[in-house]
Amino acid sequence: MRSIVMMFSLGGCAVAQALCPVWAPGRVETEMMALAKQLSAWDRAYYEQGISLVPDERYDALEKTYRDWQRCFRPESKPHSPTLAKNGKVRHPVPHVGVKKLSDRQAVARWMTGKQPLWVQPKLDGVAVTLYYQHGKLARVISRGDGLRGEDWTERARHIPAIPQQVTLDYDPLVLQGELYLRMTDHQQASQGGANARAIVAGAMRRHDLSPLVEQLGIFIWAWPDGPEAMPLRLEQLSKAGFNIMKAWSKPVANADDVANWRERWFHQPLPFVTDGVVIHGTPVKGAYWLPGDNTWSAAWKYTPLKVSAEVRSIDFPVGRTGKTGAVLNLLPLQLDDKKVSRVNIGSLRRWQALDVLPGDQVMVSLAGQGIPRLDDVIWRVQKRVSPPVPDAGAFHPLSCFTYTPACREQFLARLVWASGKEALAMTGVSRSSWQRLMQAGRLTHLFSWLALTQDELRQTPDITPARADWLYHQFSLSRQQPFRRWVKALGVPLPQRALNAMVDNDWSTLLARQDAAWQQLPGMGKTLASQVMHFLHDPQVRQLITYLDEAK
């Protein structure tokens, strides 16, 4: 949330506790100065001109990064907070206290212990304000600011139809705190996210001229510092005063399961506003005792963001079975939905170069289909750009690394994993780690050398238990019974599955005797692919492997 002071941590639902970068003092100064300068530029546009230059989640993530750096390198310094415009700063009659962020159901249950009665409300994603009434008339509307002082928004607020200009409540003066929000139609948080609603509201209220958007704003009162103690009576009186929406969105809860049920329901249910979680309310103390950050009677349980930020720790460049070099970012671990994510594959070496992402950079990550981590954006690049060693992409190709060498480790391992996989020899329980142990023990020299391993040799392999060795030997033996087509697949011949299924060849000599025209007669085979198959099969290394297979089987 882009608030001026964040009193509490974001909790375990977003980003893991940051580790301090290992930087020399000179670099600390350079990196912190650059990020502080960028945050200040965004702050000026947002707080003085009402313009949001970046999405909320990007600003929030980078502000958190800066605060993490402060804790690492300048623990004595005051946490970063934007500077408000110098004019129009007004003291709140009752300070805004903020709410503690709870990370999960267990934390909610612990917080609720001994507190009753309790109510839950949606946590609207808007802009916090104070409404101040004197003699029943709206006298002042103040933005949250730093919790003690904010900006005077009274004139703009008078054009918001949802804010009553006069109330008939037996309280004078009357102080209410709530959220200015963008009214929506059937907004579904689960699929639509935050929709940048908070920035839209802030922009409308901070523009120098009157924005037509103010007519689309609503107000949700979530605090009445000195109002009735009982929530039902409080809601009833607020409703009679013209603040109608809270009554329908305030639910009594007895335990964490109740809170979780409403939280899940509101996450998927069409709503008239944007939310970023739920708030649990107990019985507050009198307003005279309210201070920023000192709130024991309410707490928030935010939704897991659809996107979260993470620091790139290092970059791996795995080489695949066909020799293509990819790029994988190793991240400071983060939580996305129910998954802990520490790596994200960004595709080819060329895409990595185009993205210009290096260790120390901040990236935004989400989950794609089937829960696969996906890089959405590079949101901050460190000033000192140190590129890791990059493998020579030209050294690897579809006909390289059929035999093991240290330089060929990645591609050779990928070939083994492919050969034992379900599309080829379908060896049950023969995993990548199994092949790694055999490679480390020097048991493998070429792609099919495992066929010659004896049961005793497997049993004597370090880090492989006797039971595991026996299982591997059993699977290696069973592979000999696999149909010829599966051995063609295991070798890596670049045949499409349709062509492989239609092929009647049942031995290597028949396969090698095929000419270009014969290959082109198979489904899915054109002239180019037929030429690639011929080139592959007549490579000297491949011919040696085929000879070995003929003799081994």
Side-chain angles (χ1 to χ4, degrees), residues 82-374:
T83 302
L84 289 174
K86 298 298 183 184
N87 57 333
K89 196 179 258 193
V90 179
R91 179 176 289 276
H92 289 284
V94 177
H96 284 239
V97 294
V99 290
K100 181 178 182 179
K101 309 300 190 298
L102 305 173
S103 59
D104 52 33
R105 187 189 301 238
Q106 289 72 30
V108 170
R110 288 193 296 270
W111 183 87
M112 293 177 71
T113 301
K115 296 182 178 75
Q116 285 294 338
L118 292 170
W119 293 69
V120 67
Q121 294 175 341
K123 185 177 182 298
L124 276 65
D125 195 11
V127 178
V129 294
T130 292
L131 305 186
Y132 182 67
Y133 289 85
Q134 280 186 315
H135 309 302
K137 294 182 179 181
L138 182 66
R140 185 161 284 173
V141 177
I142 309 167
S143 71
R144 176 181 174 172
D146 63 3
L148 292 172
R149 294 176 179 271
E151 298 173 67
D152 189 338
W153 284 356
T154 310
E155 290 309 310
R156 289 178 181 80
R158 293 197 188 281
H159 296 274
I160 300 175
I163 297 180
Q165 299 299 303
Q166 189 159 343
V167 297
T168 54
L169 289 175
D170 192 20
Y171 291 83
D172 191 37
L174 171 66
V175 178
L176 303 173
Q177 295 177 357
E179 199 84 2
L180 282 177
Y181 67 90
L182 185 65
R183 289 185 295 178
M184 308 288 283
T185 301
D186 294 338
H187 177 80
Q188 289 183 278
Q189 195 69 27
S191 58
Q192 296 171 270
N196 224 32
R198 184 182 354 134
I200 293 172
V201 175
M205 295 304 293
R206 293 191 173 98
R207 275 178 54 167
H208 295 299
D209 57 334
L210 183 64
S211 170
L213 280 173
V214 297
E215 295 187 3
Q216 299 177 35
L217 303 184
I219 182 72
F220 190 103
I221 302 300
W222 34 251
W224 185 351
D226 293 303
E229 184 173 300
M231 180 68 85
L233 180 57
R234 186 181 308 187
L235 293 171
E236 189 65 34
Q237 292 199 24
L238 285 171
S239 183
K240 288 180 179 178
F243 301 99
N244 304 311
I245 193 169
M246 292 78 65
K247 193 172 183 180
W249 300 98
S250 302
K251 307 295 180 181
V253 287
N255 50 52
D257 287 341
D258 289 347
V259 176
N261 290 338
W262 282 112
R263 179 176 181 266
E264 184 70 11
R265 179 173 176 177
W266 287 334
F267 186 60
H268 295 282
Q269 177 181 335
L271 303 178
F273 34 63
V274 174
T275 64
D276 61 358
V278 295
V279 179
I280 314 155
H281 293 278
T283 303
V285 300
K286 293 296 182 181
Y289 302 104
W290 287 24
L291 291 171
D294 187 15
N295 178 358
T296 59
W297 58 88
S298 61
W301 184 12
K302 298 185 72 173
Y303 295 128
T304 301
L306 299 177
K307 299 179 181 182
V308 298
S309 68
E311 180 185 337
V312 179
R313 308 298 289 173
S314 62
I315 304 173
D316 292 335
F317 300 99
V319 180
R321 174 179 63 90
T322 62
K324 291 182 179 179
T325 303
V328 176
L329 306 182
N330 296 309
L331 309 175
L332 193 67
L334 56 94
Q335 193 75 26
L336 263 174
D337 199 10
D338 60 347
K339 294 182 180 293
K340 189 174 183 179
V341 176
S342 59
R343 288 166 62 86
V344 59
N345 189 332
I346 61 173
S348 67
L349 192 61
R350 181 177 295 179
R351 182 166 186 253
W352 168 73
Q353 291 166 335
L355 286 167
D356 184 29
V357 55
L358 294 177
D361 290 348
Q362 298 286 325
V363 296
M364 198 69 77
V365 180
S366 65
L367 294 180
Q370 300 180 333
I372 299 172
R374 172 181 63 195

Side-chain angles (χ1 to χ4, degrees), residues 429-449:
V430 182
S431 63
R432 181 184 178 90
S433 62
S434 301
W435 293 122
Q436 286 175 317
R437 290 186 176 96
L438 291 173
M439 287 168 59
Q440 289 165 0
R443 300 293 192 203
L444 303 175
T445 56
H446 62 74
L447 180 58
F448 297 115
S449 55

